[in-house]
Amino acid sequence: MDCNRNLDSFPDTSLVLLSFLKQKGCQNSQLQIELDYLDEQLKLPTNHNYIESDEELQADGHSFSVSYRELLHEFQNQVQPQLPVNAEEAQAAREMAAELIRIADLLEHRVLSQAADSLTNKLYRSQEQFWGGHLSDGVQALFHQVAGAKEFKKELVEMAFTFVLMKTVCEHVPQFLFGLYGTVVQYFLPHRSH
């Protein structure tokens, strides 16, 4: 897949990120457990089971009930939309993830390790709502250190560096996976301006 030509037809960011993380593999067994759990949570069934409270009435006199689908939808929208979609979209995400891995491999291990250590320290010291800014700063710093990245579209390099920086941080601190996953997906939402 030539991602440089297909920027307008990006597969869903969350699907690409999940594919990236799976294809890149985990060196940390705890991260693999977290990744498997994330994958499982993102693929929960969306049936129409209802959760009802016992004799709890709303102000309008109706009993409280909420569909499982509504609760799941709310949870998933905090992280990302429902996965996976269809075989074609899943294949496109895998191909794009492979291309992003190729771009991410331009980073020298030493440079990536330093950026990941710096980001990890910032994440430990800040609230999750500020993680996006710290991640963005780390990615921007990487841009300036990798000359070969200029052969690719800036958006692809930004995505590749963000994904690999996130993964590297999570190798050291697996419990950051869910928070960083949500932060990264939010960061690349289509309505967000860079």
Side-chain angles (χ1 to χ4, degrees):
M1 167 184 240
D2 183 358
C3 294
N4 279 327
R5 281 189 244 146
N6 296 327
L7 278 176
D8 295 332
S9 61
F10 266 4
D12 184 84
T13 301
S14 57
L15 187 58
V16 174
L17 178 55
L18 192 60
S19 294
F20 180 94
L21 294 170
K22 286 179 173 181
Q23 288 180 44
K24 197 77 169 134
C26 298
Q27 297 172 358
N28 181 317
S29 61
Q30 186 60 40
L31 177 58
Q32 185 62 54
I33 291 168
E34 293 286 328
L35 183 57
D36 291 343
Y37 183 68
L38 175 65
D39 187 24
E40 180 184 309
Q41 292 301 303
L42 296 175
K43 292 180 180 177
L44 285 173
T46 54
N47 59 19
H48 291 333
N49 293 333
Y50 285 87
I51 302 168
E52 295 187 24
S53 63
D54 294 327
E55 299 182 31
E56 215 176 304
L57 295 178
Q58 296 288 325
D60 64 1
H62 292 88
S63 68
F64 171 82
S65 69
V66 67
S67 74
Y68 175 73
R69 176 180 280 258
E70 289 169 4
L71 289 173
L72 180 61
H73 182 72
E74 184 178 324
F75 166 74
Q76 286 179 329
N77 281 336
Q78 292 174 6
V79 178
Q80 61 99 82
Q82 171 97 23
L83 292 179
V85 233
N86 60 45
E88 185 177 298
E89 194 169 345
Q91 179 61 32
R94 283 190 297 274
E95 289 174 6
M96 183 164 181
E99 180 71 9
L100 293 173
I101 289 170
R102 189 169 76 82
I103 294 169
D105 287 345
L106 294 172
L107 289 170
E108 292 179 32
H109 178 71
R110 176 189 55 78
V111 171
L112 181 58
S113 290
Q114 288 172 348
D117 289 345
S118 174
L119 179 58
T120 300
N121 290 332
K122 289 176 182 176
L123 298 180
Y124 268 127
R125 293 189 317 259
S126 65
Q127 295 176 336
E128 199 170 309
Q129 66 198 35
F130 300 111
W131 286 12
H134 296 314
L135 186 60
S136 179
D137 292 345
V139 169
Q140 295 307 314
L142 290 174
F143 270 135
H144 301 298
Q145 298 184 37
V146 182
K150 293 186 183 4
E151 72 180 76
F152 300 96
K153 291 208 181 275
K154 183 178 188 280
E155 294 86 355
L156 286 176
V157 176
E158 181 180 25
M159 189 174 272
F161 286 6
T162 301
F163 287 9
V164 75
L165 185 57
M166 174 203 161
K167 183 195 174 294
T168 305
V169 167
C170 290
E171 286 286 354
H172 297 291
V173 189
Q175 63 267 28
F176 282 172
L177 179 64
F178 274 81
L180 277 174
Y181 189 91
T183 298
V184 169
V185 170
Q186 290 291 104
Y187 184 81
F188 286 104
L189 284 176
H191 66 273
R192 183 190 165 274
S193 61
H194 294 284

